[in-house]
Amino acid sequence: SDEELKHYGTVKAEIKLYYSNGQALATSFFAFSIAKTLEDQNIIPTADYYIDDFETLRDGVNHIVEEISQTVEELQ
């Protein structure tokens, strides 16, 4: 989920393996830490930038180019 992709801090987890013969195995709980990088601190969360396909990327680039062109025209 978006919230999982944006999560930072301590993560507590357990791995459970389910076998085809009906048996299951679980590990002991463990924890690890996810730190924000400098890039993550000052931008929109990375999850907002995932690209589904080339057409989505192209449309996004075209939209940005239009915005830049309009800004340049306004500045002139």
Side-chain angles (χ1 to χ4, degrees):
S1 73
D2 286 345
E3 291 305 312
E4 290 170 325
L5 289 173
K6 297 174 190 175
H7 179 80
Y8 63 95
T10 301
V11 177
K12 296 178 181 176
E14 176 186 30
I15 296 176
K16 293 184 180 180
L17 303 174
Y18 297 97
Y19 297 97
S20 59
N21 65 3
Q23 293 181 323
L25 173 69
T27 65
S28 299
F29 285 99
F30 59 95
F32 58 95
S33 180
I34 301 173
K36 280 185 139 184
T37 66
L38 292 176
E39 293 86 11
D40 292 339
Q41 294 177 13
N42 296 317
I43 63 170
I44 297 171
T46 306
D48 294 343
Y49 289 103
Y50 283 121
I51 298 167
D52 293 330
D53 56 31
F54 181 76
E55 296 299 320
T56 303
L57 173 62
R58 187 175 71 179
D59 292 343
V61 169
N62 287 337
H63 179 73
I64 291 170
V65 168
E66 289 173 16
E67 289 179 347
I68 292 171
S69 297
Q70 183 179 7
T71 302
V72 168
E73 287 178 18
E74 291 172 0
L75 292 173
Q76 290 176 349

